Amino acid sequence: MENFRRLAGNKQGKTVYVRFRLPYYTHWGQSLLVSGSEPVLGSWDVKKGQLLRPVHRGDELIWSGDVAVPGGFGCEYSYYVVDDDKKVLRWEAGNKRKLSLPEGVEHGEVVEVHDLWQTGSDALPFTSAFKNVIFRGTCMLDIERPLGIIQNTSNAEDSIIVHFKVCYPNIDKDTSVYVIGHPLKLGKWKVQDGLKLDYAGEYCKYGKNGKLSVETGFRELSMDSSNGPPKYIFVSDGMLKEPPWRGAGVAIPMFSVRTDSDLGVGEFLDLKLLVDWSVQSGLHLIQLLPINDTSVHKMWWDSYPYSSLSVFALHPLYLRVQALSSNIPEEVEQEIMKAKDQLDGKDVDYEATMAMKLSIAQKIFSLEKDLILNSSSFQKFFSENEDWLKPYAAFCFLRDFFETSDHSQWGRFSLYSKDKLDKLVAKDSIHYDIICFHYYIQYHLHLQLFEAAEYARKNRVVLKGDLPIGVDRNSVDTWVYPNLFRMNTSTGAPPDYFDKNGQNWGFPTYNWEEMSKDNYAWWRSRLSQMAKYFTAYRIDHILGFFRIWELPEHAVTGLVGKFRPSIPLSQEELEREGIWDFDHLCRPYIRQEFLQDKFGSSWTFIASNFLNEYQKQRYEHFLRTVFSSICSMPLFPLWLIINGRFKEECNTEKKIVSKLRSCTERSLLLESEDKIRRGLFDLLQNIVLIRDPEDARKFYPRFNIEDSSSFKDLDDHSKNVLKRLYYDYYFHRQEDLWRLNALKTLPVLLNSSDMLACGEDLGLVPSCVHPVMQELGLIGLRIQRMPNEPGLEFGIPSQYSYMTVCAPSCHDCSTMRAWWEEDEERRRRFFKTVVGSDELPPSQCTPEIAEFVLQEHVEAPSMWAIFPLQDFLALKKEYTTRPAKEETINDPTNPKHYWRYRVHVTLESLLCDKEIKTTIRELVHCSGRSCTSVGETEAMIREKQPTAVIHEKSPSAVELNGASEKETVAV
């Protein structure tokens, strides 16, 4: 310390010493560093930041370091975990810290800053979902108070001035904060004699009736006097400790909503009724599926909400045409009324609804286009959105002109350029009205969704959107930004709970290397656009930000893929292990008995049409035998292989599909086309290794390698080696790579908006995923029938962690009722294991069963319990007359599933049903979750004792005369 002061002593003026102090456990080879906005802390260059020194104190590892600064010094700063080369391994979440030394600190004095590491969850109360919605209407102090002059009025030389700071954004009106503790200055544990803290900061809430509550647990204040005792201590105690906030919500696709006003499908303005129902049912959140335009094929295939035509444009399906104008002609009004009757079916008629809405909108547009397009409101919308709006309108025009969204078929317009775009959308073009019609539709969609979103905010209901993992191959985004996508690949998921053959979503994978060049601007724009309407969002398939399951573009199923990025098996690595016959391991392994088993008497027809001429490969076996003898390796089994290769015109899954469709002799087949296709796919997938198409000396083990007969017929040595390498590839060697990959991309998303972020982390979850999500403050998903814990058939909601959303079902699986009825044996196991009854369970999911399951989830520790609306309806027998299977939204095993489910009861009817609203509200309230208050629009009544907050910007001070090295205090 003395050497440090001599070095700094040559500076003119007053010099103060700031000592940073932080308890944090690190691993071997890791250190803690502080970096900040001023040169003394590296000017945000972490490599020039101040390394801290570790000291063990009891059970804690305390990191500290001293910095000489001038009087009146102020800066922003953060802590980082680094390796020996100062490479950043981890950083704090949340906002940058602020340090501002008060007046009155004398030359040579030490100011000690006691901080706690900020995790991602610490920042959650400051997301828009909480600060702008759930905690809406609180006292807001926009003026930051300076600390002012600090004077030590004590005569004791060893007195220390301590500034206590604690942060909590949800403090009720008229509530005060006190610090109590053992020292006399802190009241000897008596609240009335404790230290009252001042209020300051951007978001503070005051309690009611002057009541006080003591936080859970105790805090300890200690100081290190080995380098000279500090004169001032700034204690940043993080968040106030209290039982964590928990809420409940409802999930429903926008297209599934039914009201008396809609035109065959749920519409954005229907959300206002859903908000009313949610408030009256005690719910704080509404979760939707993606709402972007998916009009790629202009048919019912576009009902798939995750295949975006544009990640910015809203779907015209959700437009309320009645709200386009206040002067709709009578004949158009009659057309609307007639369409309402025609489209009011059990399910969504996607094609008819789209056609009708666009036809009506076109008629209204032709009457009012000049009025709307010249309005200041439209001009403002256009100027704020033209970067994506112009390419979107041009794409829609070209799609309709060429009658395809495949932009490779657009001639000179196949390659996008700014000059071509300007000509396409020019005001003097003959098709300018068509371009403007697309502007007009998007403008009104924006107005209607924004109106609904504002209504949700004012009523303290979080509107939660969905961020799809991919975009359609033939989309505006792949046309405008082809460099951001790997167009020769496809995105999917390996075999899991949803599909034993894996999933192939058809989206091109991302070129992350190219995206990183502009700091992921495309992603940041997506999130900024979402934040205009939503205060929370679900990251679809968050595992894809760690690694994506990449398939060749010619694949149909999702089985034969590889993870990207990943560390492959090298040819040298395999050869060292005695694996050398790569041609056999990478080629479909086909034997006559396989053909006979799969195709019966049709096997000869299959062989002659799909496979090349057979030959008995005795020569191949001879070479294997000789090579094995030389290498002293175990011999391959003595096979008499009848091994054929697929013909060139049918050696991929897509080629097989095409060949079967065009086969003129299909009538000769005794099996169904679907069964033959599945059998041929099985043969094509009967491999052990996948050769990298970009590097022939790299290989990837096929997923579920042990299920293939190609693997089963190998010798024991080869099987043991490949099995070990398989588990290493999928479960070990990639973990660090995937963790670092996620830490490159996910923080960009999170920092692009202040929305509350949740990640869908279902499927094959690498071990690095949950620690990274916890570190970044990302909320995970728990579905009871898909437990993350090994060895469990059913998840245990009472054991879920706080940073989760829990639910009994979701849109990608059957509803609670349908799941109950699907499998009798599973139903019995659930009744015995979860319900705890040995009796025979009812064959139907009765309201009593539904209430039991829902109660388990609302009582879970999870931050959110979000239920599909169908599961809420199961609480009342009257709403269970519809067959349960019809309530399923998606079948992940069917890539061409028709997304058309509509709720069979209107929102107006649900609003009038006091019984079900009361049942839901009581479930939420009795579980201890926050319950929206009926009739309150300006303030929300918390169902717990009021607590208090002090924002970090303005602490209070107290002298601790003759302070010992450790004092215990409580807020």
Side-chain angles (χ1 to χ4, degrees), residues 100 303 346 373 463 527 547 610 702 823:
S100 181
S303 66
K346 182 177 69 173
L373 298 179
L463 199 58
L527 270 296
R547 80 294 183 272
F610 292 88
R702 199 210 81 169
D823 189 325

Side-chain angles (χ1 to χ4, degrees), residues 736-808:
D736 287 341
L737 173 67
W738 291 344
R739 178 183 178 277
L740 292 174
N741 194 55
L743 288 175
K744 287 179 188 174
T745 54
L746 286 174
V748 176
L749 267 69
L750 301 179
N751 294 331
S752 299
S753 77
D754 60 355
M755 292 184 289
L756 177 69
C758 308
E760 182 264 291
D761 53 346
L762 303 176
L764 184 68
V765 183
S767 59
C768 64
V769 169
H770 291 152
V772 168
M773 290 181 66
Q774 183 178 9
E775 185 175 331
L776 298 178
L778 280 160
I779 302 169
L781 177 62
R782 298 294 176 268
I783 305 294
Q784 189 171 25
R785 70 186 75 171
M786 309 173 206
N788 284 338
E789 301 82 1
L792 285 182
E793 184 179 12
F794 312 112
I796 306 173
S798 62
Q799 296 180 5
Y800 293 159
S801 65
Y802 175 66
M803 291 291 289
T804 57
V805 172
C806 68

Side-chain angles (χ1 to χ4, degrees), residues 342-358:
Q342 292 175 344
L343 297 172
D344 190 24
K346 182 177 69 173
D347 297 310
V348 176
D349 187 334
Y350 181 89
E351 294 174 18
T353 303
M354 277 291 289
M356 183 63 69
K357 287 197 172 193
L358 291 177

Side-chain angles (χ1 to χ4, degrees), residues 2 180 346 539 804:
E2 291 302 320
I180 60 174
K346 182 177 69 173
I539 302 175
T804 57

Side-chain angles (χ1 to χ4, degrees), residues 134-327:
I134 297 171
F135 300 156
R136 183 185 176 93
T138 61
C139 177
M140 300 178 66
L141 300 179
D142 297 322
I143 301 174
E144 181 177 335
R145 297 183 191 172
L147 290 175
I149 300 176
I150 296 178
Q151 294 181 342
N152 188 349
T153 58
S154 171
N155 296 322
E157 294 183 1
D158 60 348
S159 66
I160 297 172
I161 297 179
V162 180
H163 292 250
F164 292 95
K165 298 180 291 182
V166 64
C167 183
Y168 183 52
N170 187 30
I171 182 172
D172 299 316
K173 187 179 180 181
D174 299 329
T175 295
S176 300
V177 180
Y178 284 79
V179 182
I180 60 174
H182 174 70
L184 180 63
K185 293 279 186 176
L186 297 182
K188 288 287 185 179
W189 297 112
K190 295 179 180 179
V191 173
Q192 59 270 26
D193 297 327
L195 173 69
K196 183 177 179 179
L197 302 185
D198 294 329
Y199 294 99
E202 296 178 346
Y203 305 101
C204 296
K205 288 193 173 184
Y206 295 79
K208 297 193 174 196
N209 303 324
K211 294 182 180 179
L212 291 171
S213 62
V214 180
E215 69 172 356
T216 58
F218 295 96
R219 304 178 187 266
E220 290 184 343
L221 173 61
S222 62
M223 61 207 73
D224 180 12
S225 58
S226 59
N227 292 325
K231 201 66 178 175
Y232 304 90
I233 298 178
F234 294 92
V235 181
S236 296
D237 267 330
M239 300 294 294
L240 198 72
K241 297 176 182 178
E242 66 161 6
W245 185 96
R246 292 152 63 238
V250 61
I252 188 70
M254 191 69 259
F255 58 80
S256 298
V257 173
R258 186 188 295 267
T259 68
D260 293 335
S261 302
D262 68 50
L263 206 64
V265 70
E267 298 165 348
F268 288 146
L269 290 176
D270 293 330
L271 289 171
K272 296 171 74 172
L273 284 178
L274 188 55
V275 167
D276 291 340
W277 182 81
S278 298
V279 170
Q280 294 175 31
S281 300
L283 306 176
H284 267 298
L285 182 145
I286 295 171
Q287 177 172 314
L288 303 176
L289 293 187
I291 54 172
N292 295 110
D293 192 358
T294 59
S295 307
V296 175
H297 307 283
K298 301 201 75 174
M299 59 176 293
W300 67 263
W301 288 358
D302 298 334
S303 66
Y304 180 28
Y306 288 90
S307 188
S308 305
L309 176 81
S310 166
V311 298
F312 300 101
L314 299 172
H315 206 308
L317 186 69
Y318 306 127
L319 181 71
R320 175 159 295 169
V321 294
Q322 303 96 306
L324 291 178
S325 172
S326 57
N327 299 305

